[in-house]
Amino acid sequence: MTTPVIGVLALQGDVREHLIALASADAVARPVRRPEELAEVDALVIPGGESTTMSKLAVLFGMLEPLRERVRAGMPVYGTCAGMIMLADKLLDGREDQETLGGIDMIVRRNAFGRQNESFEAQVDFSGIGGGPVEGVFIRAPWVESVGGAVEVLATYDGHTVAVRQGNVLATSFHPELTGDDRVHAYFVDMVRAGL
């Protein structure tokens, strides 16, 4: 069985937690900050953090276009929270100068579940993952307002879409890397392995 090399975009956000979760799911995990590091990985995780800061740093580090090119070329990508925002084709409540990578035909609303002090945890039924619901940690989390026909909705919470997949691209509103439950990361590693 091939062991995929999966990068975690290390410009801002909860990078370390994703590296640990990916390693637990039998991937080789490494931080990615520069285009040459991006070129060396089979797939990428875009962590949670602050989406406007992340987009500005991607421009500053010369990563925005290389990231867009790899996503367009079919590289598997998984985005959590701010990562979901980065993978949206369209944003609601984003800043005017905010850049996204695209990759999923969806409209995402930033901070849809509320501000920092309204963060919460909830059980989420996730299609394609066995063993019962996953624990969702929602921190200033977005939700998906609408999706195109090629997008598969994998999970909803309180009537809102919180996990989606389009081809090789996966996104969740919540942070599974903060729970110690690595099933969502294992699901992504299996997606990556299937394409190798």
Side-chain angles (χ1 to χ4, degrees), residues 130-163:
V134 299
E135 185 72 17
V137 177
F138 293 83
I139 303 170
R140 291 177 55 211
W143 68 46
V144 179
E145 290 272 329
S146 64
V147 296
V151 179
E152 180 183 3
V153 173
L154 298 174
T156 60
Y157 175 75
D158 200 23
H160 301 288
T161 298
V162 296

Side-chain angles (χ1 to χ4, degrees), residues 111-126:
N111 301 331
F113 283 107
R115 306 202 56 72
Q116 188 82 19
N117 63 353
E118 296 168 285
S119 300
F120 62 96
E121 294 184 30
Q123 297 290 306
V124 178
D125 290 315
F126 198 111

Side-chain angles (χ1 to χ4, degrees), residues 58-177:
V59 172
L60 191 66
F61 279 76
M63 288 291 288
L64 191 67
E65 286 311 315
L67 284 164
R68 283 179 174 154
E69 286 170 21
R70 287 292 309 269
V71 172
R72 278 194 295 266
M75 175 182 68
V77 184
Y78 171 34
T80 62
C81 196
M84 171 184 264
I85 293 166
M86 292 289 289
L87 291 170
D89 282 350
K90 294 189 184 114
L91 287 183
L92 298 175
D93 299 332
R95 289 174 46 153
E96 281 186 30
D97 61 344
Q98 188 164 357
E99 299 272 5
T100 70
L101 303 174
I104 299 180
D105 182 10
M106 63 180 173
I107 299 173
V108 170
R109 183 177 296 279
R110 291 178 70 236
N111 301 331
F113 283 107
R115 306 202 56 72
Q116 188 82 19
N117 63 353
E118 296 168 285
S119 300
F120 62 96
E121 294 184 30
Q123 297 290 306
V124 178
D125 290 315
F126 198 111
S127 179
I129 293 180
V134 299
E135 185 72 17
V137 177
F138 293 83
I139 303 170
R140 291 177 55 211
W143 68 46
V144 179
E145 290 272 329
S146 64
V147 296
V151 179
E152 180 183 3
V153 173
L154 298 174
T156 60
Y157 175 75
D158 200 23
H160 301 288
T161 298
V162 296
V164 293
R165 178 178 177 181
Q166 183 174 348
N168 280 339
V169 186
L170 175 69
T172 59
S173 297
F174 53 89
H175 295 264
E177 74 282 2

